[in-house]
């Protein structure tokens, strides 16, 4: 079989690229005492160092039929309870999480040569938390939540925009758009959180927080 890269220099360059990840390191002594504190430190550094949408995370789920699925969502809250994001509960990811709450997440901060990987289970947040978050969304995003049956087919862009127009008309005289019942948050409760720092010669630093049976955290170093 012919290698496509052999006849396409730009493709070959893209496939063969090799970046040395430098000397920035991650030692056990550098870590906070728990993964939530450590994550907030790295998230703040990602924002300060210009990472585009540092709260964007790739979320992996398992569909009700057992098929894996991934997409990018935005982290909207983190504390000792876990990592929260919001979506339509009737979307593909919503239905997947309601059927099988096991999840995997990665924050790919490429320009920093860093990743954070999270493994755990996602559960719906309290309705009051969903109400509070929805109330602080821009009005356009609130209307969009009513307009889109997320993940479902639609005939055209025009049809979608008509649904938006209809929702705008519906709430034209309403000062505060209410939260749709089908829309709300999930909170990921982690079992494992890995902090990954790229190093020279692919000898990366990988430190894993692992929750043990006593609910405390222990740290392991993983080989790159």
């Amino acid at each position: 079989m012919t290698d496509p890269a052999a006849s396409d220099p730009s493709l070959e360059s893209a496939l063969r690229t090799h970046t040395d990840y430098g000397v920035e390191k991650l030692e056990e002594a550098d870590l906070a005492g728990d993964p939530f504190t450590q994550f907030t430190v790295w998230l703040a550094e990602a924002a300060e160092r210009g990472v585009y949408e540092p709260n964007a995370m790739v979320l992996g789920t398992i569909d009700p039929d057992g098929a894996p699925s991934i997409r990018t969502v935005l982290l909207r809250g983190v504390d000792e309870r876990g990592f929260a994001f919001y979506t339509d509960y009737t979307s593909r990811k919503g239905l997947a999480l309601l059927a099988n709450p096991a999840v995997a997440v990665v924050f790919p901060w490429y320009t920093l040569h860093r990743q954070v990987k999270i493994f755990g289970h996602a559960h719906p947040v309290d309705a009051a938390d969903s109400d509070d978050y929805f109330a602080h969304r821009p009005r356009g995003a609130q209307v969009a939540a009513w307009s889109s049956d997320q993940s479902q087919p639609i005939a055209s862009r025009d049809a979608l925009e008509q649904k938006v127009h209809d929702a705008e008309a519906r709430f034209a005289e309403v000062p505060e758009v209410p939260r749709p019942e089908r829309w709300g948050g999930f909170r990921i409760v982690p079992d494992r959180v890995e902090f990954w720092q790229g190093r020279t010669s692919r000898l990366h630093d990988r430190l894993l927080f692992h929750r043990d049976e006593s609910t405390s955290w222990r740290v392991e170093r993983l080989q790159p």
Side-chain angles (χ1 to χ4, degrees):
M1 182 179 293
T2 303
D3 183 356
S7 58
D8 186 338
S10 61
L11 177 59
E12 181 176 9
S13 176
L15 292 174
R16 311 295 188 223
T17 186
H18 180 95
T19 301
D20 189 283
Y21 290 161
V23 297
E24 193 167 357
K25 62 185 179 179
L26 178 64
E27 300 286 356
E28 285 81 350
D30 300 328
L31 288 180
D34 65 83
F36 309 111
T37 303
Q38 182 62 40
F39 177 83
T40 58
V41 169
W42 268 23
L43 179 63
E45 288 185 14
E48 292 167 0
R49 293 167 66 175
V51 172
Y52 177 72
E53 290 199 329
N55 60 328
M57 60 186 190
V58 180
L59 171 69
T61 58
I62 303 171
D63 286 346
D65 63 1
S69 182
I70 58 171
R71 77 289 290 158
T72 300
V73 299
L74 297 179
L75 179 72
R76 291 307 191 189
V78 56
D79 56 28
E80 68 280 358
R81 297 173 298 171
F83 302 84
F85 66 96
Y86 293 83
T87 189
D88 188 320
Y89 289 140
T90 63
S91 66
R92 180 174 181 175
K93 62 180 169 296
L95 293 174
L97 291 171
L98 293 173
N100 187 338
V103 297
V105 165
V106 61
F107 288 84
W109 296 326
Y110 301 121
T111 56
L112 303 187
H113 306 145
R114 285 179 176 176
Q115 300 179 74
V116 179
K117 295 185 281 185
I118 300 167
F119 307 89
H121 294 79
H123 306 282
V125 305
D126 293 340
D129 289 339
S130 291
D131 288 339
D132 181 68
Y133 177 76
F134 191 83
H136 289 87
R137 296 188 93 201
R139 188 176 179 90
Q142 293 174 334
V143 170
W146 282 95
S147 306
S148 174
D149 297 310
Q150 195 177 112
S151 303
Q152 298 303 310
I154 194 166
S156 66
R157 178 74 189 192
D158 288 343
L160 176 62
E161 292 182 354
Q162 181 60 51
K163 291 180 69 177
V164 174
H165 177 76
D166 293 344
E168 288 173 339
R170 175 181 178 183
F171 297 112
E173 304 302 323
V174 178
E176 296 183 2
V177 178
R179 176 178 64 90
E181 186 175 349
R182 69 173 189 270
W183 192 98
F186 285 97
R187 179 173 289 108
I188 300 170
V189 179
D191 301 312
R192 293 174 290 145
V193 183
E194 179 184 331
F195 293 85
W196 185 102
Q197 175 69 62
R199 297 288 298 272
T200 295
S201 299
R202 299 297 192 255
L203 293 174
H204 314 306
D205 287 326
R206 299 176 59 189
L207 296 183
L208 176 71
F209 281 91
H210 194 287
R211 194 193 300 269
D212 63 26
E213 294 180 359
S214 67
T215 72
S216 62
W217 295 95
R218 58 187 174 88
V219 175
E220 296 177 325
R221 176 174 288 271
L222 305 180
Q223 298 180 57

